Structure formats: structure tokens, C-alpha cells
Coordinates of all heavy atoms in Angstrom, one line a residue:
M1 N 26.6 -20.5 -4.7 CA 25.6 -20.7 -5.7 C 25.9 -19.9 -6.8 O 26.2 -18.7 -6.7 CB 24.1 -20.4 -5.2 CG 23.0 -20.6 -6.0 SD 21.5 -20.3 -5.4 CE 21.1 -21.8 -4.6
S2 N 25.9 -20.4 -8.1 CA 26.3 -19.6 -9.3 C 25.1 -18.7 -9.6 O 24.0 -18.8 -9.2 CB 26.6 -20.6 -10.4 OG 25.5 -21.3 -10.9
D3 N 25.5 -17.7 -10.5 CA 24.4 -16.8 -11.0 C 23.4 -17.5 -11.8 O 22.2 -17.2 -11.6 CB 25.1 -15.8 -11.9 CG 25.9 -14.8 -11.1 OD1 25.7 -14.8 -9.8 OD2 26.7 -14.0 -11.7
L4 N 23.8 -18.5 -12.6 CA 22.7 -19.2 -13.3 C 21.8 -20.0 -12.4 O 20.5 -20.1 -12.7 CB 23.4 -20.2 -14.4 CG 22.6 -20.9 -15.3 CD1 21.7 -19.9 -16.2 CD2 23.3 -21.8 -16.2
A5 N 22.3 -20.7 -11.4 CA 21.5 -21.4 -10.5 C 20.6 -20.4 -9.7 O 19.4 -20.8 -9.5 CB 22.3 -22.2 -9.5
L6 N 21.1 -19.3 -9.3 CA 20.3 -18.3 -8.7 C 19.1 -17.8 -9.5 O 18.0 -17.7 -9.1 CB 21.1 -17.1 -8.2 CG 20.5 -16.2 -7.3 CD1 20.1 -16.9 -5.9 CD2 21.5 -15.1 -6.9
W7 N 19.4 -17.5 -10.8 CA 18.3 -17.1 -11.7 C 17.3 -18.2 -12.0 O 16.1 -18.0 -12.1 CB 18.9 -16.6 -13.0 CG 19.4 -15.2 -12.9 CD1 20.7 -14.7 -12.8 CD2 18.6 -14.0 -12.8 NE1 20.7 -13.4 -12.7 CE2 19.4 -12.9 -12.7 CE3 17.2 -13.8 -12.8 CZ2 19.0 -11.6 -12.5 CZ3 16.7 -12.5 -12.6 CH2 17.6 -11.4 -12.5
G8 N 17.8 -19.4 -12.0 CA 16.9 -20.6 -12.1 C 15.9 -20.7 -10.9 O 14.8 -21.0 -11.1
L9 N 16.5 -20.4 -9.8 CA 15.7 -20.5 -8.5 C 14.7 -19.4 -8.5 O 13.5 -19.7 -8.2 CB 16.6 -20.4 -7.3 CG 15.9 -20.4 -5.9 CD1 15.3 -21.7 -5.7 CD2 16.9 -20.0 -4.9
F10 N 15.1 -18.2 -8.9 CA 14.1 -17.1 -9.0 C 13.0 -17.4 -10.0 O 11.8 -17.2 -9.7 CB 14.8 -15.8 -9.5 CG 15.7 -15.2 -8.5 CD1 16.7 -14.3 -8.8 CD2 15.6 -15.5 -7.1 CE1 17.5 -13.8 -7.9 CE2 16.4 -14.9 -6.2 CZ 17.4 -14.0 -6.6
L11 N 13.4 -18.0 -11.1 CA 12.3 -18.4 -12.2 C 11.4 -19.4 -11.6 O 10.1 -19.4 -11.8 CB 13.1 -18.9 -13.4 CG 12.1 -19.2 -14.6 CD1 11.4 -17.9 -15.0 CD2 12.9 -19.8 -15.7
A12 N 12.0 -20.4 -10.9 CA 11.1 -21.5 -10.4 C 10.1 -21.0 -9.3 O 8.9 -21.4 -9.3 CB 12.0 -22.6 -9.8
V13 N 10.6 -20.2 -8.4 CA 9.8 -19.6 -7.4 C 8.7 -18.7 -8.0 O 7.5 -18.8 -7.6 CB 10.6 -18.8 -6.4 CG1 9.8 -18.1 -5.4 CG2 11.5 -19.8 -5.6
G14 N 9.0 -17.9 -9.0 CA 8.1 -17.0 -9.6 C 7.0 -17.9 -10.4 O 5.9 -17.5 -10.3
L15 N 7.4 -18.9 -11.1 CA 6.4 -19.7 -11.7 C 5.5 -20.5 -10.8 O 4.3 -20.6 -11.0 CB 7.1 -20.7 -12.6 CG 7.8 -20.1 -13.9 CD1 8.5 -21.3 -14.7 CD2 6.7 -19.6 -14.8
G16 N 6.1 -20.9 -9.6 CA 5.3 -21.6 -8.6 C 4.3 -20.6 -8.0 O 3.1 -21.0 -7.8
T17 N 4.7 -19.4 -7.7 CA 3.8 -18.4 -7.2 C 2.7 -18.1 -8.2 O 1.5 -18.0 -7.8 CB 4.6 -17.1 -6.8 OG1 5.6 -17.5 -5.8 CG2 3.6 -16.1 -6.2
F18 N 3.1 -17.9 -9.4 CA 2.1 -17.6 -10.4 C 1.1 -18.8 -10.6 O -0.1 -18.5 -10.7 CB 2.7 -17.4 -11.8 CG 1.8 -17.1 -12.9 CD1 1.2 -15.8 -13.0 CD2 1.6 -18.0 -13.9 CE1 0.3 -15.6 -14.0 CE2 0.7 -17.8 -14.8 CZ 0.1 -16.5 -15.0
A19 N 1.6 -20.0 -10.5 CA 0.6 -21.1 -10.7 C -0.3 -21.3 -9.5 O -1.5 -21.5 -9.7 CB 1.5 -22.4 -10.8
M20 N 0.2 -20.9 -8.3 CA -0.8 -21.1 -7.1 C -1.8 -19.9 -7.2 O -3.0 -20.2 -7.0 CB 0.1 -20.8 -5.9 CG 0.8 -22.0 -5.4 SD 1.5 -21.9 -3.8 CE 2.6 -20.5 -3.9
R21 N -1.5 -18.8 -7.6 CA -2.4 -17.6 -7.7 C -3.4 -17.8 -8.9 O -4.6 -17.6 -8.7 CB -1.8 -16.3 -7.9 CG -0.9 -16.0 -6.6 CD -0.3 -14.6 -6.7 NE 0.5 -14.4 -5.5 CZ 0.8 -13.2 -5.1 NH1 0.4 -12.1 -5.8 NH2 1.5 -13.0 -4.0
L22 N -2.9 -18.4 -10.0 CA -3.7 -18.6 -11.1 C -4.7 -19.7 -10.8 O -5.9 -19.7 -11.3 CB -2.8 -19.0 -12.3 CG -3.7 -19.3 -13.7 CD1 -4.3 -18.0 -14.2 CD2 -2.7 -19.8 -14.6
S23 N -4.3 -20.7 -10.1 CA -5.2 -21.9 -9.7 C -6.5 -21.3 -9.0 O -7.5 -21.7 -9.2 CB -4.5 -22.9 -8.9 OG -4.1 -22.5 -7.6
F24 N -6.3 -20.4 -8.1 CA -7.4 -19.9 -7.3 C -8.4 -19.0 -8.2 O -9.6 -19.2 -8.1 CB -6.9 -19.0 -6.2 CG -6.5 -19.8 -5.0 CD1 -5.1 -19.9 -4.7 CD2 -7.4 -20.4 -4.2 CE1 -4.6 -20.6 -3.7 CE2 -6.9 -21.2 -3.1 CZ -5.5 -21.2 -2.8
V25 N -7.8 -18.3 -9.2 CA -8.6 -17.5 -10.1 C -9.4 -18.4 -11.0 O -10.6 -18.2 -11.3 CB -7.7 -16.5 -10.9 CG1 -8.5 -15.8 -11.9 CG2 -7.1 -15.5 -9.9
E26 N -8.7 -19.4 -11.5 CA -9.3 -20.3 -12.5 C -10.4 -21.3 -11.9 O -11.4 -21.5 -12.4 CB -8.2 -21.1 -13.2 CG -7.5 -20.4 -14.3 CD -8.3 -19.9 -15.4 OE1 -9.2 -20.7 -15.9 OE2 -8.2 -18.8 -15.9
L27 N -10.1 -21.8 -10.7 CA -11.0 -22.6 -10.0 C -12.2 -22.0 -9.3 O -13.1 -22.7 -8.9 CB -10.2 -23.6 -9.0 CG -9.2 -24.5 -9.6 CD1 -8.4 -25.2 -8.5 CD2 -9.9 -25.4 -10.6
Y28 N -12.0 -20.7 -9.0 CA -13.1 -20.0 -8.2 C -14.5 -20.1 -9.0 O -15.4 -20.4 -8.3 CB -12.7 -18.6 -8.0 CG -13.7 -17.8 -7.1 CD1 -13.8 -18.1 -5.8 CD2 -14.6 -17.0 -7.7 CE1 -14.7 -17.4 -5.0 CE2 -15.5 -16.3 -6.9 CZ -15.6 -16.5 -5.6 OH -16.5 -15.9 -4.8
G29 N -14.5 -19.9 -10.2 CA -15.8 -20.0 -10.9 C -16.3 -21.4 -11.2 O -17.4 -21.6 -11.4
R30 N -15.4 -22.4 -11.1 CA -15.9 -23.7 -11.4 C -16.3 -24.5 -10.2 O -17.1 -25.5 -10.3 CB -14.7 -24.5 -12.1 CG -14.4 -23.9 -13.4 CD -13.2 -24.6 -14.1 NE -12.8 -23.9 -15.2 CZ -11.6 -24.0 -15.9 NH1 -10.8 -25.0 -15.4 NH2 -11.3 -23.4 -16.9
L31 N -15.7 -24.2 -9.0 CA -16.1 -24.9 -7.9 C -17.1 -24.2 -6.9 O -17.0 -22.9 -6.9 CB -14.8 -25.2 -7.0 CG -13.7 -26.1 -7.7 CD1 -12.5 -26.2 -6.8 CD2 -14.2 -27.4 -8.0
R32 N -17.9 -24.9 -6.3 CA -18.8 -24.3 -5.4 C -18.2 -24.2 -4.0 O -17.8 -25.2 -3.5 CB -20.2 -25.1 -5.3 CG -21.0 -25.0 -6.5 CD -21.7 -23.8 -6.7 NE -22.6 -23.5 -5.6 CZ -23.2 -22.3 -5.5 NH1 -22.9 -21.3 -6.3 NH2 -24.1 -22.1 -4.6
I33 N -18.2 -23.0 -3.5 CA -17.6 -22.9 -2.1 C -18.8 -23.0 -1.1 O -19.7 -22.3 -1.3 CB -16.9 -21.5 -2.0 CG1 -15.6 -21.5 -2.9 CG2 -16.4 -21.3 -0.5 CD1 -14.9 -20.1 -3.0
P34 N -18.6 -23.8 -0.1 CA -19.7 -23.9 0.9 C -20.0 -22.5 1.6 O -19.1 -21.7 1.7 CB -19.2 -24.9 1.9 CG -18.2 -25.6 1.3 CD -17.5 -24.7 0.2
A35 N -21.2 -22.3 1.9 CA -21.6 -21.0 2.4 C -20.9 -20.6 3.7 O -20.5 -19.5 4.0 CB -23.1 -21.0 2.7
L36 N -20.6 -21.7 4.6 CA -19.9 -21.4 5.8 C -18.4 -20.9 5.5 O -17.9 -19.9 6.1 CB -19.8 -22.7 6.6 CG -19.1 -22.6 8.0 CD1 -19.8 -21.6 8.9 CD2 -18.9 -23.9 8.7
L37 N -17.8 -21.6 4.5 CA -16.4 -21.1 4.1 C -16.5 -19.7 3.5 O -15.6 -18.9 3.7 CB -15.8 -22.2 3.2 CG -14.4 -21.8 2.7 CD1 -13.4 -21.8 3.9 CD2 -14.0 -23.0 1.7
S38 N -17.4 -19.5 2.7 CA -17.5 -18.2 2.0 C -17.7 -17.0 3.0 O -17.1 -16.1 3.0 CB -18.7 -18.2 1.1 OG -18.9 -16.9 0.5
R39 N -18.5 -17.3 4.1 CA -18.7 -16.3 5.2 C -17.4 -16.2 6.0 O -17.0 -15.0 6.4 CB -19.8 -16.7 6.1 CG -21.2 -16.3 5.5 CD -22.3 -16.6 6.5 NE -22.4 -18.1 6.6 CZ -23.0 -18.8 7.5 NH1 -23.4 -18.2 8.6 NH2 -23.0 -20.1 7.5
A40 N -16.7 -17.3 6.2 CA -15.4 -17.2 7.0 C -14.4 -16.4 6.3 O -13.6 -15.7 6.8 CB -14.9 -18.6 7.3
L41 N -14.4 -16.5 4.9 CA -13.4 -15.8 4.1 C -13.6 -14.3 4.1 O -12.6 -13.6 3.8 CB -13.4 -16.3 2.6 CG -12.8 -17.7 2.5 CD1 -13.0 -18.2 1.0 CD2 -11.3 -17.8 2.8
L42 N -14.7 -13.9 4.5 CA -14.9 -12.4 4.5 C -14.1 -11.8 5.7 O -13.8 -10.6 5.6 CB -16.4 -12.1 4.8 CG -17.4 -12.4 3.7 CD1 -18.9 -12.2 4.1 CD2 -17.1 -11.6 2.5
Y43 N -13.7 -12.6 6.7 CA -12.9 -12.0 7.7 C -11.4 -12.1 7.6 O -10.6 -11.6 8.4 CB -13.3 -12.8 9.1 CG -14.8 -12.6 9.5 CD1 -15.7 -13.6 9.3 CD2 -15.2 -11.3 10.0 CE1 -17.0 -13.3 9.5 CE2 -16.5 -11.1 10.3 CZ -17.4 -12.1 10.1 OH -18.7 -11.9 10.4
V44 N -11.0 -12.7 6.5 CA -9.5 -12.9 6.2 C -8.8 -11.5 6.1 O -7.7 -11.3 6.8 CB -9.2 -13.8 5.0 CG1 -7.8 -13.7 4.5 CG2 -9.7 -15.2 5.3
P45 N -9.3 -10.5 5.3 CA -8.6 -9.3 5.3 C -8.4 -8.6 6.6 O -7.3 -8.1 6.9 CB -9.4 -8.5 4.4 CG -10.1 -9.4 3.5 CD -10.4 -10.5 4.4
A46 N -9.4 -8.5 7.5 CA -9.3 -8.0 8.8 C -8.3 -8.7 9.7 O -7.6 -8.1 10.5 CB -10.7 -7.8 9.4
S47 N -8.4 -10.0 9.6 CA -7.4 -10.7 10.5 C -6.0 -10.6 10.0 O -5.1 -10.6 10.9 CB -7.9 -12.2 10.6 OG -7.8 -12.8 9.3
V48 N -5.8 -10.6 8.8 CA -4.4 -10.3 8.2 C -3.9 -8.9 8.6 O -2.8 -8.8 9.0 CB -4.3 -10.6 6.7 CG1 -3.0 -10.1 6.1 CG2 -4.6 -12.0 6.4
L49 N -4.7 -7.9 8.5 CA -4.4 -6.6 8.9 C -4.0 -6.5 10.4 O -3.0 -5.9 10.8 CB -5.5 -5.6 8.6 CG -5.2 -4.1 8.9 CD1 -4.0 -3.6 8.1 CD2 -6.4 -3.3 8.6
A50 N -4.9 -7.2 11.2 CA -4.6 -7.2 12.6 C -3.3 -7.9 13.0 O -2.5 -7.5 13.8 CB -5.7 -7.8 13.4
A51 N -3.0 -9.0 12.3 CA -1.8 -9.7 12.4 C -0.6 -8.9 12.1 O 0.5 -9.1 12.6 CB -1.8 -11.0 11.7
L52 N -0.7 -8.0 11.1 CA 0.4 -7.2 10.7 C 0.6 -6.0 11.5 O 1.7 -5.6 11.9 CB 0.2 -6.7 9.2 CG 0.4 -7.8 8.1 CD1 0.0 -7.2 6.8 CD2 1.8 -8.4 8.1
V53 N -0.5 -5.4 12.0 CA -0.4 -4.1 12.8 C -0.2 -4.4 14.3 O 0.6 -3.6 14.8 CB -1.8 -3.3 12.6 CG1 -1.8 -2.2 13.5 CG2 -1.9 -2.8 11.2
L54 N -0.7 -5.4 14.9 CA -0.6 -5.6 16.4 C 0.8 -5.7 16.8 O 1.2 -5.0 17.8 CB -1.5 -6.7 16.8 CG -1.5 -6.9 18.4 CD1 -2.2 -5.7 19.0 CD2 -2.3 -8.1 18.7
P55 N 1.7 -6.6 16.2 CA 3.1 -6.6 16.7 C 3.8 -5.3 16.5 O 4.7 -5.0 17.3 CB 3.7 -7.7 15.8 CG 2.5 -8.5 15.3 CD 1.4 -7.6 15.1
A56 N 3.5 -4.5 15.5 CA 4.2 -3.2 15.3 C 3.8 -2.2 16.4 O 4.4 -1.4 16.8 CB 3.9 -2.6 13.9
V57 N 2.5 -2.4 16.9 CA 2.1 -1.5 18.0 C 2.6 -1.9 19.3 O 3.1 -1.1 20.1 CB 0.5 -1.5 18.0 CG1 0.0 -0.7 19.2 CG2 0.0 -0.8 16.7
V58 N 2.5 -3.2 19.6 CA 2.9 -3.8 20.9 C 4.4 -3.8 21.1 O 4.9 -3.5 22.2 CB 2.2 -5.1 21.2 CG1 2.7 -5.6 22.5 CG2 0.7 -5.0 21.2
Y59 N 5.1 -4.2 20.1 CA 6.6 -4.2 20.1 C 7.2 -3.3 19.1 O 7.7 -3.7 18.1 CB 7.1 -5.6 19.8 CG 6.4 -6.7 20.6 CD1 5.6 -7.7 20.1 CD2 6.6 -6.8 22.0 CE1 5.0 -8.7 20.9 CE2 6.1 -7.7 22.9 CZ 5.3 -8.7 22.3 OH 4.7 -9.7 23.0
P60 N 7.3 -2.0 19.5 CA 7.9 -1.0 18.5 C 9.4 -1.2 18.4 O 10.0 -1.7 19.3 CB 7.6 0.3 19.1 CG 7.4 0.1 20.6 CD 6.8 -1.3 20.7
N61 N 9.9 -0.9 17.3 CA 11.4 -1.0 17.0 C 11.9 -2.5 17.2 O 13.0 -2.6 17.3 CB 12.2 -0.1 17.9 CG 11.8 1.4 17.8 OD1 11.4 1.8 16.7 ND2 11.7 2.1 18.9
G62 N 11.1 -3.4 17.0 CA 11.4 -4.7 17.1 C 11.9 -5.3 18.4 O 12.6 -6.3 18.5
Q63 N 11.6 -4.6 19.5 CA 12.0 -5.1 20.7 C 11.2 -6.2 21.2 O 10.1 -6.4 20.8 CB 11.9 -3.9 21.8 CG 10.5 -3.5 22.1 CD 10.5 -2.2 22.9 OE1 11.4 -1.5 22.9 NE2 9.4 -2.0 23.6
G64 N 11.8 -7.1 22.0 CA 11.2 -8.4 22.3 C 10.4 -8.4 23.6 O 10.0 -9.4 24.0
E65 N 10.2 -7.2 24.2 CA 9.5 -7.2 25.5 C 8.3 -6.2 25.4 O 8.4 -5.2 24.7 CB 10.4 -6.9 26.6 CG 11.1 -5.6 26.5 CD 12.1 -5.3 27.6 OE1 12.9 -6.3 27.9 OE2 12.2 -4.2 28.1
F66 N 7.3 -6.4 26.2 CA 6.1 -5.6 26.3 C 6.5 -4.5 27.2 O 6.8 -4.7 28.4 CB 4.9 -6.4 26.8 CG 3.7 -5.7 26.9 CD1 3.0 -5.3 25.7 CD2 3.2 -5.2 28.1 CE1 1.7 -4.6 25.9 CE2 2.0 -4.5 28.2 CZ 1.3 -4.2 27.0
V67 N 6.2 -3.3 26.8 CA 6.6 -2.1 27.6 C 5.2 -1.3 27.8 O 4.7 -0.9 26.9 CB 7.6 -1.2 26.9 CG1 8.0 0.0 27.8 CG2 8.9 -2.0 26.6
L68 N 4.9 -1.0 29.1 CA 3.7 -0.3 29.4 C 3.7 1.2 29.0 O 2.8 1.8 28.8 CB 3.4 -0.5 30.9 CG 2.9 -1.9 31.2 CD1 2.6 -1.9 32.7 CD2 1.6 -2.2 30.5
S69 N 5.0 1.7 29.1 CA 5.1 3.2 28.7 C 5.1 3.4 27.2 O 5.4 4.5 26.8 CB 6.4 3.6 29.3 OG 7.5 3.0 28.8
N70 N 4.7 2.4 26.4 CA 4.7 2.6 24.9 C 3.5 3.4 24.5 O 2.4 3.1 24.9 CB 4.6 1.2 24.3 CG 4.5 1.2 22.9 OD1 4.6 2.2 22.2 ND2 4.3 0.1 22.2
P71 N 3.7 4.6 23.9 CA 2.6 5.5 23.6 C 1.7 5.0 22.5 O 0.6 5.4 22.3 CB 3.2 6.8 23.2 CG 4.6 6.4 22.8 CD 5.0 5.2 23.6
Q72 N 2.2 4.0 21.8 CA 1.4 3.5 20.6 C 0.2 2.7 21.1 O -0.8 2.6 20.4 CB 2.3 2.6 19.8 CG 3.3 3.4 19.0 CD 4.3 2.5 18.3 OE1 5.1 1.9 18.8 NE2 4.1 2.5 16.9
I73 N 0.3 2.1 22.3 CA -0.8 1.2 22.8 C -2.1 2.1 23.1 O -3.1 1.8 22.6 CB -0.4 0.4 24.0 CG1 0.7 -0.6 23.5 CG2 -1.5 -0.3 24.6 CD1 1.4 -1.4 24.6
P74 N -2.0 3.1 23.9 CA -3.2 3.9 24.1 C -3.7 4.6 22.9 O -4.9 4.7 22.6 CB -2.8 4.9 25.2 CG -1.3 4.9 25.2 CD -0.9 3.6 24.7
A75 N -2.7 5.0 21.9 CA -3.3 5.7 20.7 C -4.0 4.7 19.9 O -5.0 4.9 19.2 CB -2.0 6.2 20.0
A76 N -3.5 3.4 19.8 CA -4.2 2.4 19.0 C -5.5 2.0 19.6 O -6.5 1.9 18.9 CB -3.3 1.1 18.9
I77 N -5.7 2.0 21.0 CA -6.9 1.7 21.6 C -7.9 2.9 21.3 O -9.1 2.6 21.0 CB -6.7 1.6 23.1 CG1 -5.9 0.2 23.4 CG2 -8.0 1.6 23.9 CD1 -5.5 0.2 24.8
L78 N -7.4 4.1 21.4 CA -8.3 5.2 21.0 C -8.7 5.2 19.6 O -9.9 5.5 19.2 CB -7.6 6.6 21.4 CG -8.3 7.9 21.1 CD1 -9.5 7.9 22.0 CD2 -7.5 9.1 21.4
A79 N -7.8 4.9 18.6 CA -8.2 4.8 17.3 C -9.1 3.6 17.0 O -10.0 3.8 16.2 CB -6.9 4.6 16.4
A80 N -9.0 2.5 17.7 CA -9.9 1.5 17.5 C -11.3 1.9 18.0 O -12.3 1.5 17.4 CB -9.4 0.2 18.3
W81 N -11.3 2.6 19.1 CA -12.7 3.0 19.6 C -13.3 4.0 18.6 O -14.6 3.8 18.3 CB -12.5 3.7 20.9 CG -13.8 4.2 21.6 CD1 -14.7 3.4 22.2 CD2 -14.3 5.5 21.5 NE1 -15.8 4.2 22.6 CE2 -15.6 5.5 22.1 CE3 -13.9 6.7 21.0 CZ2 -16.4 6.6 22.3 CZ3 -14.7 7.8 21.1 CH2 -15.9 7.7 21.7
V82 N -12.6 4.9 18.0 CA -13.1 5.8 17.0 C -13.6 5.1 15.8 O -14.6 5.4 15.2 CB -12.1 6.9 16.7 CG1 -12.5 7.7 15.4 CG2 -11.8 7.8 17.8
A83 N -12.8 4.0 15.3 CA -13.2 3.3 14.2 C -14.5 2.5 14.5 O -15.4 2.4 13.6 CB -12.1 2.3 13.8
W84 N -14.6 2.0 15.7 CA -15.9 1.3 16.1 C -17.0 2.2 16.1 O -18.1 1.8 15.7 CB -15.6 0.6 17.4 CG -16.8 -0.1 17.9 CD1 -17.4 -1.2 17.3 CD2 -17.3 -0.1 19.3 NE1 -18.4 -1.6 18.1 CE2 -18.4 -1.0 19.3 CE3 -17.0 0.7 20.4 CZ2 -19.1 -1.1 20.5 CZ3 -17.8 0.5 21.5 CH2 -18.8 -0.4 21.5
Q85 N -16.9 3.4 16.6 CA -18.0 4.3 16.8 C -18.4 5.0 15.5 O -19.6 5.2 15.2 CB -17.6 5.4 17.8 CG -17.5 4.8 19.2 CD -18.8 4.3 19.8 OE1 -19.8 4.9 19.6 NE2 -18.8 3.2 20.5
T86 N -17.4 5.4 14.7 CA -17.8 6.2 13.5 C -17.7 5.4 12.1 O -18.3 5.8 11.2 CB -16.8 7.4 13.4 OG1 -15.5 6.9 13.2 CG2 -16.9 8.2 14.6
R87 N -16.9 4.3 12.1 CA -16.7 3.6 10.8 C -16.1 4.5 9.7 O -16.4 4.2 8.6 CB -17.9 2.9 10.4 CG -18.6 2.0 11.4 CD -18.8 0.6 10.9 NE -19.6 -0.2 11.9 CZ -19.0 -1.1 12.5 NH1 -17.7 -1.5 12.3 NH2 -19.7 -1.9 13.4
N88 N -15.3 5.5 10.2 CA -14.8 6.4 9.2 C -13.2 6.3 9.2 O -12.6 6.5 10.2 CB -15.1 7.9 9.7 CG -14.6 8.9 8.7 OD1 -13.7 8.7 7.9 ND2 -15.4 10.1 8.7
T89 N -12.7 5.8 8.1 CA -11.2 5.4 8.0 C -10.4 6.7 8.2 O -9.4 6.7 8.9 CB -10.9 4.8 6.7 OG1 -11.8 3.7 6.6 CG2 -9.5 4.3 6.6
V90 N -10.8 7.8 7.6 CA -9.9 9.0 7.6 C -9.9 9.6 9.0 O -8.8 10.0 9.6 CB -10.5 10.1 6.6 CG1 -9.6 11.4 6.8 CG2 -10.3 9.5 5.2
L91 N -11.1 9.6 9.6 CA -11.1 10.1 11.0 C -10.4 9.2 12.0 O -9.7 9.7 12.9 CB -12.6 10.2 11.5 CG -12.8 10.8 12.9 CD1 -12.3 12.2 13.0 CD2 -14.4 10.7 13.2
T92 N -10.5 7.9 11.8 CA -9.7 7.0 12.6 C -8.2 7.2 12.5 O -7.5 7.2 13.5 CB -10.0 5.5 12.3 OG1 -11.4 5.3 12.4 CG2 -9.2 4.5 13.0
L93 N -7.7 7.3 11.3 CA -6.3 7.6 11.1 C -5.9 8.9 11.7 O -4.8 9.0 12.3 CB -6.0 7.6 9.6 CG -6.0 6.3 8.9 CD1 -5.9 6.5 7.4 CD2 -5.0 5.4 9.4
A94 N -6.7 10.0 11.5 CA -6.4 11.4 12.1 C -6.3 11.3 13.6 O -5.4 11.8 14.2 CB -7.4 12.3 11.6
V95 N -7.3 10.7 14.2 CA -7.4 10.6 15.7 C -6.2 9.7 16.2 O -5.5 10.1 17.2 CB -8.8 10.0 16.2 CG1 -8.7 9.6 17.7 CG2 -9.8 11.1 15.9
G96 N -6.0 8.6 15.6 CA -4.9 7.8 16.0 C -3.5 8.4 15.9 O -2.7 8.4 16.9
M97 N -3.2 9.0 14.7 CA -1.9 9.7 14.6 C -1.8 10.9 15.6 O -0.8 11.2 16.2 CB -1.7 10.1 13.2 CG -1.4 9.0 12.3 SD 0.1 8.0 12.9 CE 1.3 9.2 12.8
G98 N -3.0 11.7 15.7 CA -2.9 12.9 16.6 C -2.7 12.4 18.0 O -2.0 13.1 18.8
A99 N -3.4 11.4 18.4 CA -3.2 10.8 19.8 C -1.7 10.3 20.0 O -1.2 10.6 21.1 CB -4.1 9.7 20.1
L100 N -1.2 9.6 19.0 CA 0.2 9.2 19.2 C 1.1 10.4 19.3 O 2.1 10.4 20.1 CB 0.6 8.3 18.0 CG 2.0 7.8 18.0 CD1 2.2 6.9 19.1 CD2 2.2 7.0 16.7
W101 N 0.9 11.4 18.5 CA 1.8 12.6 18.5 C 1.6 13.3 19.9 O 2.7 13.7 20.5 CB 1.5 13.5 17.4 CG 2.0 13.0 16.0 CD1 2.9 12.1 15.8 CD2 1.5 13.4 14.8 NE1 3.1 11.9 14.5 CE2 2.2 12.7 13.8 CE3 0.6 14.4 14.4 CZ2 1.9 12.9 12.5 CZ3 0.3 14.5 13.0 CH2 1.1 13.8 12.1
L102 N 0.5 13.4 20.4 CA 0.2 14.1 21.7 C 0.9 13.2 22.8 O 1.5 13.8 23.8 CB -1.3 14.3 21.9 CG -1.9 15.4 21.2 CD1 -3.4 15.4 21.4 CD2 -1.3 16.7 21.6
F103 N 0.7 11.9 22.7 CA 1.3 11.1 23.8 C 2.8 11.2 23.8 O 3.4 11.1 24.8 CB 0.8 9.6 23.7 CG -0.6 9.4 24.0 CD1 -1.4 8.4 23.3 CD2 -1.3 10.2 24.9 CE1 -2.7 8.2 23.6 CE2 -2.6 10.0 25.2 CZ -3.4 9.0 24.5
R104 N 3.3 11.1 22.6 CA 4.8 11.2 22.5 C 5.3 12.6 23.0 O 6.3 12.8 23.6 CB 5.3 11.0 21.1 CG 5.3 9.5 20.8 CD 6.0 9.2 19.5 NE 6.0 7.8 19.2 CZ 6.3 7.3 18.1 NH1 6.7 8.1 17.1 NH2 6.3 6.0 17.9
F105 N 4.6 13.8 22.6 CA 5.0 15.1 23.0 C 5.0 15.2 24.5 O 5.9 15.9 25.0 CB 4.1 16.0 22.3 CG 4.4 17.5 22.6 CD1 5.5 18.1 22.0 CD2 3.6 18.3 23.4 CE1 5.8 19.4 22.3 CE2 3.9 19.6 23.7 CZ 5.0 20.1 23.1
F106 N 3.9 14.7 25.1 CA 3.8 14.9 26.5 C 4.5 13.9 27.4 O 4.5 13.9 28.6 CB 2.3 15.0 27.0 CG 1.7 16.3 26.6 CD1 0.6 16.3 25.6 CD2 2.1 17.5 27.0 CE1 0.0 17.5 25.2 CE2 1.5 18.6 26.6 CZ 0.5 18.7 25.7
G107 N 5.1 12.8 26.6 CA 5.8 11.8 27.3 C 4.9 10.8 28.1 O 5.3 10.3 29.1
L108 N 3.7 10.6 27.7 CA 2.9 9.7 28.4 C 3.1 8.3 28.0 O 3.6 7.9 27.0 CB 1.4 10.0 28.1 CG 1.0 11.4 28.6 CD1 -0.5 11.6 28.1 CD2 1.1 11.6 30.1

């Protein structure tokens, strides 16, 4: 592929991405979103975060098998419990990282 064709491809993909994002911004105020869909969209950020974090916790280093001796799993469970009980982001991060470091230090 030539340099000119590659730059043309980059430009086309960039314009397509811009057009898709702009369409949501421009159409959001003009169209009525049903209440059910509006409530469902509130859960999108949490589900995307879970979809990004869970594979990194369960399959560290890109390995393809589930390992029970993985210290990230009990640390994540402990952090999830702290988040559920306190709803404090900083405390959740501190407890999760502290637990992970302790589990790795003691070889659990």
C-alpha cells in the first residue's frame, strides 16, 4: 500500500469516526429517547468498565487459562466488597492495591 493510499485511508476512517460521533451529539437534542432506553443507557459506563477490567483480572499477562492461584482475583473481590460497602473510590483503590500487594508478597 502506498503512502498516499495509507493517508487517504487514515483520513477516511477519521472522517467516518467524526461523522458517527457528531451524529449522536446533533441528534440527541432533536429526538426523544424512550424512558426505558434512557434508563438502560445509564448502565453502559459500568458495563464497559467491567468488560475491560474483568479479563485483565482473571487472565493476567494475556494467558489463556484460568488460574486459581492468581492473587488478582481475591484482591478484586475484596475491592468490590469495599466499593459496595463504602461507595468510596479512593478507599476501594487503596484496599484493592494493598490487598494485591499483600497477596503477592505472601505468595497467596
